[in-house]
Structures are given as C-alpha cells and as structure tokens.
Amino acid sequence: QVQLVESGGGLVQAGGSLRLSCVASGSIGSINDMGWYRQAPGKQRELVARISRGGNSNYEDSVKGRFTISRDNAKNTVYLQMNSLKPEDTAVYFCNAEIRRLYTYDYLAKWGQGTQVTVSS
C-alpha cells in the first residue's frame, strides 16, 4: 500500500501564512514529480505547483511570488509554503505524486485526501 497524507491546512486571515505538508508512505520504490492541486467550491481542480525529483518547479500564475513548493526526498515529503494568503486561495488542497512501488516498473499517480485551506477577509 502507498498513501499520501496531507496536513497543515486551516483557517487563516488574509495576509497570513500556512505551510502544507504531504508525506508518502508504504512500499515505495521511488517518487518522480510531486505537486499540489486545489479545488474550490463549484470549480475544477487546478494545479497550484509542481516540483520534479531534481527540484525544478512551476507555479500557477496567481500564486507566483507568494507560494513556494519544496521537497525532501529522504523523507518522501513535499511542502507548500503559502504566504500572503488571499480569500481567493480558499480551497481543498490535494497532494499528488508519481510513485513507483517496489518491484514495479511504472509510475502511477497517487492523490492525498485533501486538506482544507480557508482564508477569511
């Protein structure tokens, strides 16, 4: 079994900060790209940020300069530091990772259960 578990969401006032964490566990062979997505009520899930195993990252335009994605490969963990939060950032944030399980060849997309981020005015 391979699981992704997010944590760090919560309620914060506009202008505040949160740090999300996502830990992969189980029979993991290796992890390729990891990323954060979010889904607001009535909207489609959208990419927030992604980071490669080597540390190359990309961001959705609206979060550039405010959010920072990072990872610790030794801990199978990806982080999302969110600063200067806006009400528009309110959403359920999901962790995603391309994971190869032990004794397999192919990478498969895995999703966490999501963590709620609510930014009040």
Side-chain angles (χ1 to χ4, degrees):
Q1 296 180 341
V2 175
Q3 292 183 324
L4 296 176
V5 179
E6 303 101 329
S7 62
L11 175 64
V12 65
Q13 288 187 304
S17 298
L18 287 172
R19 191 192 194 206
L20 306 183
S21 298
C22 172
V23 180
S25 62
S27 300
I28 297 171
S30 61
I31 304 176
N32 200 4
D33 286 4
M34 304 184 80
W36 291 95
Y37 292 72
R38 65 186 180 187
Q39 188 166 23
K43 296 184 178 180
Q44 289 187 299
R45 189 173 299 185
E46 66 176 358
L47 173 68
V48 178
R50 290 195 68 81
I51 185 168
S52 71
R53 182 159 52 191
N56 297 120
S57 60
N58 58 82
Y59 299 88
E60 195 274 327
D61 286 342
S62 69
V63 309
K64 288 181 179 177
R66 299 188 297 121
F67 292 9
T68 302
I69 189 169
S70 61
R71 64 189 289 171
D72 186 334
N73 292 334
K75 296 180 179 180
N76 292 331
T77 301
V78 62
Y79 306 94
L80 186 68
Q81 178 66 46
M82 304 185 294
N83 298 326
S84 301
L85 283 162
K86 304 175 181 180
E88 305 93 270
D89 296 317
T90 296
V92 177
Y93 283 70
F94 297 90
C95 178
N96 172 265
E98 292 288 320
I99 301 175
R100 182 180 64 80
R101 293 176 293 143
L102 284 173
Y103 316 119
T104 69
Y105 295 120
D106 299 327
Y107 287 86
L108 298 177
K110 300 293 183 181
W111 291 90
Q113 82 289 346
T115 185
Q116 177 70 48
V117 171
T118 302
V119 184
S120 63
S121 300

